[in-house]
Amino acid sequence: MRTLYAEGTGPFYRLPVRAKLLLLATLGVALFLTRSPFVLAAGPILGALVYFTLGLPFGLAARRLRPVFLTIIIVAAFSFLVSEAEEAVLQLLRLTTLMLFAATVTATTTISAFIDEITRLCRPLDRLGLMRADDIGLAFGLVVRFVPEIMTRYEAIRDAHRARGLKIRPITMIMPLILLTLRETDQIAAAIDARGLRGHSITTK
Amino acid sequence: MSTRGLVLVSLFAAVIVALGLLPPITLGFIPVPITAQTLGVMLAGLVLGAKRGVLSVALVLLLVIVGLPVLSGGRGGLAVFAGPTVGYLVGWLPAVFVTGLIAERIVRGRQGAITQTGCFFAAAVLGCILVLYALGTLGVMLVTGLPLIKALSGALAFIPGDLVKAGVAATVARAVQAGYPLLPIRGR
């Protein structure tokens, strides 16, 4: 699966994941506590400076932001017309800033760095016996592994329907898709346990 | 968590991602094309129940956070949470939980087809429409400062599509319950 990480070098690439997430959270809080339009206006400018100098080609970098930015603009415009104009502008600035810095964190952090950090954060729960932190990485790997297979299965079902001259409707496609996928569960679970991927004290059931 | 449980949660998360990759469907009478992804979220609750449904959806959100473009339209990464519709995304978690909770309690093995489908429909609507829109609207209000009625009015266009989805989800869930029952049914 294609990832949103972009190879590169620079200060943001070197920061540890935890630091980046904390900075982002702090930024978010600060943005929502600030009411000055001048301070907030600097936000998107700084954000754009940081994000667009990361190394991604400009078109690609901009295209990634388009869906979110579109909702930000539309809601801001709606807000501007229907509610207080000043607040709408402030919200536009706040959200755009947050969006740019969030996209920066995403582009400068590898998936495995994220997963490692989240697993680390869940270790205390591991020690409490509430969950196994390593299951997160395993579950993640399973999803990535099986999405292409499910898509292929969908296409096979769709082609089979076409060959029979049946109309392609969501219900008739999704039902077999889910049933066929779920029926693989035991097979996959047995394979995982056979490989000892979850340690030796787990049973298949 | 048993290995089987882990695999179920992961497979369903993969289904939700796969449904997001399918092109949006345009139904004649609805102005907005509907994506199948929230259908997947409804099904997570209806098929897996509250606990596993939440884990499945949480796994999908994890993929988004980590930087994979798994939301419908190829969206992903932390930037997605910086928009005014963030409540509709984070709201998936309580929505699935409520859907699963209701399904677990009102669906019974011995129900007739129509009754069971009706129960699934009710669970889908109460959880993934009512609760989800409530939280989504709350999110919009918090993030943009819009008052309630105005925050809600923007979302109304999507409700007919979601009702259709709930209908589809209920039908599929009943078929799955008949073919590969996974829903932990509680109560008498």
Side-chain angles (χ1 to χ4, degrees), chain A residues 2 4 67-68 78-79 82 91 95 106 111 114 118 139 143 154 174-175 178 182-183 186 193 198 202 204-205, chain B residues 1-4 6 10 22 39 43 59 62 66-67 69 75-79 82 143-144 146 150 153 175 179-180:
Chain A
R2 2 74 250 176
L4 292 169
V68 188
F78 182 73
S79 219
V82 147
Q91 288 301 340
L95 292 179
T106 292
I111 294 178
F114 260 121
I118 293 172
V143 178
Y154 173 80
I174 292 177
M175 209 180 310
I178 293 194
L182 291 177
R183 289 213 169 115
D186 290 318
D193 288 337
R198 290 181 83 213
I202 307 292
T204 304
K205 196 186 177 300
Chain B
M1 170 159 242
S2 70
T3 305
R4 187 164 178 272
L6 180 68
S10 307
L22 299 179
L39 176 64
L43 281 168
L59 190 51
L62 177 70
V66 142
R75 295 172 296 143
L78 290 168
V143 163
T144 66
L146 276 171
K150 301 200 173 117
S153 60
Y180 197 80

Side-chain angles (χ1 to χ4, degrees), chain B residues 140-155:
Chain B
V140 172
M141 286 168 65
L142 286 172
V143 163
T144 66
L146 276 171
L148 174 64
I149 305 292
K150 301 200 173 117
L152 192 52
S153 60

Side-chain angles (χ1 to χ4, degrees), chain B:
Chain B
M1 170 159 242
S2 70
T3 305
R4 187 164 178 272
L6 180 68
V7 173
L8 274 174
V9 166
S10 307
L11 279 180
F12 223 98
V15 166
I16 294 175
V17 171
L19 289 175
L21 293 172
L22 299 179
I25 312 161
T26 326
L27 296 171
F29 50 94
I30 294 173
V32 184
I34 60 178
T35 64
Q37 194 157 61
T38 34
L39 176 64
V41 174
M42 289 176 181
L43 281 168
L46 296 176
V47 170
L48 297 178
K51 179 182 152 201
R52 285 179 178 159
V54 169
L55 289 174
S56 209
V57 170
L59 190 51
V60 175
L61 291 180
L62 177 70
L63 269 83
V64 175
I65 290 172
V66 142
L68 289 171
V70 294
L71 293 180
S72 56
R75 295 172 296 143
L78 290 168
V80 163
F81 295 92
T85 52
V86 61
Y88 288 95
L89 198 58
V90 176
W92 274 0
L93 293 168
V96 162
F97 185 74
V98 170
T99 294
L101 209 66
I102 295 177
E104 282 173 20
R105 272 162 183 70
I106 70 175
V107 169
R108 294 275 173 279
R110 292 183 170 284
Q111 285 165 335
I114 298 183
T115 318
Q116 204 178 61
T117 310
C119 289
F120 278 123
F121 183 73
V125 169
L126 289 169
C128 291
I129 296 184
L130 212 71
V131 170
L132 184 60
Y133 277 75
L135 291 168
T137 307
L138 188 67
V140 172
M141 286 168 65
L142 286 172
V143 163
T144 66
L146 276 171
L148 174 64
I149 305 292
K150 301 200 173 117
L152 192 52
S153 60
L156 292 179
F158 297 94
I159 292 187
D162 279 349
L163 284 170
V164 171
K165 269 184 246 178
V168 173
T171 312
V172 174
R174 201 204 68 83
V176 173
Q177 186 65 15
Y180 197 80
L182 289 169
L183 186 68
I185 296 181
R186 308 185 190 291
R188 298 240 47 202

